[in-house]
Amino acid sequence: EMWKSSLMSGYFATLTAEHTRVYQETFKSPLWVLLMQIALPCFALMAIVESVRELIRQFPIMKSALKGAPIIIIASVEALSCFFVALALALGEFGPLLMPYSFHYFFLMLLAGCSFFTTAILAMIIIEKSRALTGDQEREVAVYYRRSIVACAIMFIGWDIVAGALTAYEPRAAYGNFPSLLGMYGIAQGFVGVYFIRQARELSRPLLAYLNHPDSNPRPENSKVISRLAFWLNASGACMLLGTVSLVFLAYASSGTLRVEGSATWFCTTFSFSASRIGTSYSQLQVISTSKKSSSCLWWASGRGTCSRPAGWLPQWGQTQ
């Protein structure tokens, strides 16, 4: 009777999900706009600037493409992916949507596949730098790992965009699979993150041991660069693990098990996922940039508690010994 009476009186009723109002209140809050649509896009722009700087540094050796190819690939992919991430977030990727759904669905995962790809290449570079630190011959990444690089590109890049496109054009069929998509990418990021952290530890362990060795007597500038390199390696690993936890939680929540829509928990988890995605890119670019702070070479190998080689610095990452 109320419905009929409202129609006869000239009023209109809108039926929506019970949490829609909560979403709208969240999207209109100054804190949401400041963090999600201003701060995070600016953070992504910082990563783009670092990528462009790295491409400029690599420009002199681009003619001998093999030497700088891995770094050029990382910087190029990060520049493009971070640009689209910044654009999507500024246009309200997670609300309020300022573009059609068909646009935003392409970036549901914030191009996480591109981040997986660059992380895998950086891990390959770290493996060879770890070999160089222990006195083994450093192999050319672009040659020795060429098949692995191609396989990672095929396996990681673009599939999150395809999944978003399916969700955009077949929303009813894909909506039920959305929690699975989040969980799958969360688990994949976990595996990639653990692999990267393992390789990063192999590199940072001898560097820090050299730094703390009583006989090493490193120069102050080298001590600062080693500490900075270790910090950004750890920061990159921490961002990947944070992204894993955030994605798995969002997958669990979006399955209907938890009702966190529009709550502070949902706000923080969405922000942590977005920030960790950009933070991973920025940290890894800082790892590459930090390795170029010195042009000399550090050789340290653990033997009987003594430095077996002269103190110096790590070889530049865009070049080989």
Side-chain angles (χ1 to χ4, degrees):
E1 292 298 328
M2 183 181 297
W3 175 263
K4 183 177 180 181
S5 174
S6 64
L7 290 178
M8 292 178 65
S9 302
Y11 295 101
F12 295 93
T14 302
L15 300 179
T16 60
E18 60 183 10
H19 55 264
T20 299
R21 183 176 178 182
V22 181
Y23 269 121
Q24 291 176 348
E25 292 175 353
T26 301
F27 295 156
K28 292 179 181 179
S29 68
L31 183 60
W32 176 271
V33 174
L34 175 63
L35 293 179
M36 297 297 296
Q37 295 183 258
I38 298 177
L40 287 181
C42 289
F43 189 19
L45 289 177
M46 292 171 60
I48 295 172
V49 170
E50 288 297 324
S51 300
V52 173
R53 285 180 178 176
E54 194 55 47
L55 288 173
I56 294 174
R57 292 191 193 104
Q58 294 295 326
F59 183 77
I61 62 173
M62 281 186 180
K63 293 182 179 179
S64 53
L66 289 179
K67 289 186 177 181
I71 303 299
I72 293 172
I73 292 173
I74 291 175
S76 300
V77 172
E78 291 292 7
L80 288 173
S81 63
C82 286
F83 170 78
F84 285 109
V85 168
L87 180 64
L89 289 173
L91 294 174
E93 178 60 30
F94 299 109
L97 306 183
L98 302 181
M99 294 290 286
Y101 280 96
S102 57
F103 171 83
H104 287 286
Y105 273 120
F106 281 103
F107 306 103
L108 277 174
M109 304 307 301
L110 298 182
L111 303 180
C114 294
S115 179
F116 296 171
F117 175 62
T118 56
T119 299
I121 296 180
L122 186 58
M124 298 172 196
I125 297 174
I126 289 175
I127 291 173
E128 293 309 309
K129 298 306 170 184
S130 299
R131 284 174 54 88
L133 285 176
T134 56
D136 294 331
Q137 179 64 37
E138 183 181 350
R139 297 168 298 198
E140 193 69 68
V141 173
V143 175
Y144 188 79
Y145 295 96
R146 61 186 183 278
R147 293 181 180 176
S148 298
I149 293 174
V150 173
C152 288
I154 296 173
M155 186 165 46
F156 293 139
I157 296 180
W159 290 108
D160 49 345
I161 300 177
V162 172
L166 292 176
T167 305
Y169 294 105
E170 293 291 339
R172 292 186 179 181
Y175 182 76
N177 296 325
F178 185 62
S180 301
L181 177 66
L182 292 173
M184 180 183 67
Y185 270 88
I187 294 173
Q189 179 156 312
F191 279 112
V192 174
V194 169
Y195 176 72
F196 177 84
I197 291 172
R198 181 181 176 184
Q199 302 306 326
R201 288 188 62 186
E202 291 296 319
L203 177 66
S204 60
R205 186 183 301 142
L207 291 175
L208 294 176
Y210 159 79
L211 189 65
N212 297 321
H213 198 281
D215 298 332
S216 62
N217 191 26
R219 294 192 297 271
E221 60 272 20
N222 281 357
S223 299
K224 184 181 295 186
V225 176
I226 292 174
S227 299
R228 180 181 172 87
L229 179 63
F231 171 81
W232 286 115
L233 286 170
N234 292 329
S236 181
C239 285
M240 283 184 281
L241 294 182
L242 177 61
T244 298
V245 174
S246 300
L247 282 173
V248 171
F249 179 83
L250 288 173
Y252 184 65
S254 60
S255 65
T257 307
L258 297 176
R259 296 304 301 272
V260 297
E261 297 91 345
S263 66
T265 303
W266 179 84
F267 187 123
C268 294
T269 307
T270 305
F271 174 78
S272 64
F273 161 62
S274 305
S276 64
R277 164 64 182 91
I278 303 170
T280 300
S281 298
Y282 184 78
S283 299
Q284 292 178 358
L285 290 166
Q286 287 294 328
V287 168
I288 297 172
S289 174
T290 301
S291 72
K292 299 176 181 299
K293 299 296 183 181
S294 175
S295 59
S296 54
C297 175
L298 179 143
W299 291 99
W300 186 90
S302 58
R304 297 181 178 179
T306 60
C307 292
S308 58
R309 292 175 185 262
W313 181 232
L314 187 68
Q316 292 192 17
W317 289 35
Q319 303 174 6
T320 55
Q321 282 297 103

